[in-house]
Amino acid sequence: MSEIALHLLAHPEDVAVVRLAAGEQPEWDWQQGPFATLTVTADETSVVTLASAAPAGLPTEGPFRVVEVAGPLAFGLWGIMAEILAPLVDAHISVLAMSTFDTDWILVRTEDLRAAGEAWRRAGLIFTSTNLSGSLP
């Protein structure tokens, strides 16, 4: 367990992951929502965007909910992602994990968010919503 209390913040918006061909750039307003990213490899381009913004007709996975690790987190910290992912492995919940300069992000299928939150709480992590009602699906 890390030396800091991890606080996980669930955002209320659904996002999707859209696959484009290698080298292709998105031709829609993809930079919306709580988390959007463009990842380019030699074999593909992947875009995380609001589910409502994902164009029809493209290979898409989701919907996911974005879970943000409250940060910023120092680069020298170790074991953060392992601590977050271990309870989900035990609960058989598949996720996409990503990091930015300041923090870590977990994409959890919307249908699995409640179970993920329960798994995290059992493991001693703090899991809350970012909206004031505090309601989670």
Side-chain angles (χ1 to χ4, degrees):
M1 193 163 191
S2 68
E3 295 185 19
I4 62 170
L6 293 179
H7 187 162
L8 308 178
L9 305 164
H11 290 267
E13 302 91 341
D14 282 333
V15 299
V17 181
V18 180
R19 186 189 192 284
L20 301 175
E24 187 176 351
Q25 293 293 312
E27 296 180 359
W28 73 94
D29 184 14
W30 61 273
Q31 297 178 14
Q32 305 176 45
F35 181 80
T37 187
L38 177 72
T39 305
V40 178
T41 71
D43 299 319
E44 67 172 300
T45 300
S46 291
V47 182
V48 176
T49 186
L50 281 178
S52 60
L58 294 175
T60 303
E61 285 289 330
F64 296 93
R65 288 294 174 90
V66 177
V67 179
E68 174 183 359
V69 181
L73 301 173
F75 262 88
L77 294 175
W78 49 269
I80 300 295
M81 198 63 81
E83 184 174 349
I84 294 166
L85 297 179
L88 302 181
V89 171
D90 294 341
H92 301 131
I93 297 172
S94 177
V95 299
L96 294 166
M98 301 179 188
S99 297
T100 60
F101 191 93
D102 285 341
T103 195
D104 295 326
W105 303 81
I106 311 299
L107 303 185
V108 180
R109 287 199 180 274
T110 300
E111 65 195 39
D112 294 333
L113 185 61
R114 186 169 300 281
E118 291 169 1
W120 283 323
R121 287 183 181 121
R122 280 192 304 273
L125 284 74
I126 301 164
F127 176 69
T128 62
S129 175
T130 61
N131 63 27
L132 294 178
S133 73
S135 63
L136 295 171

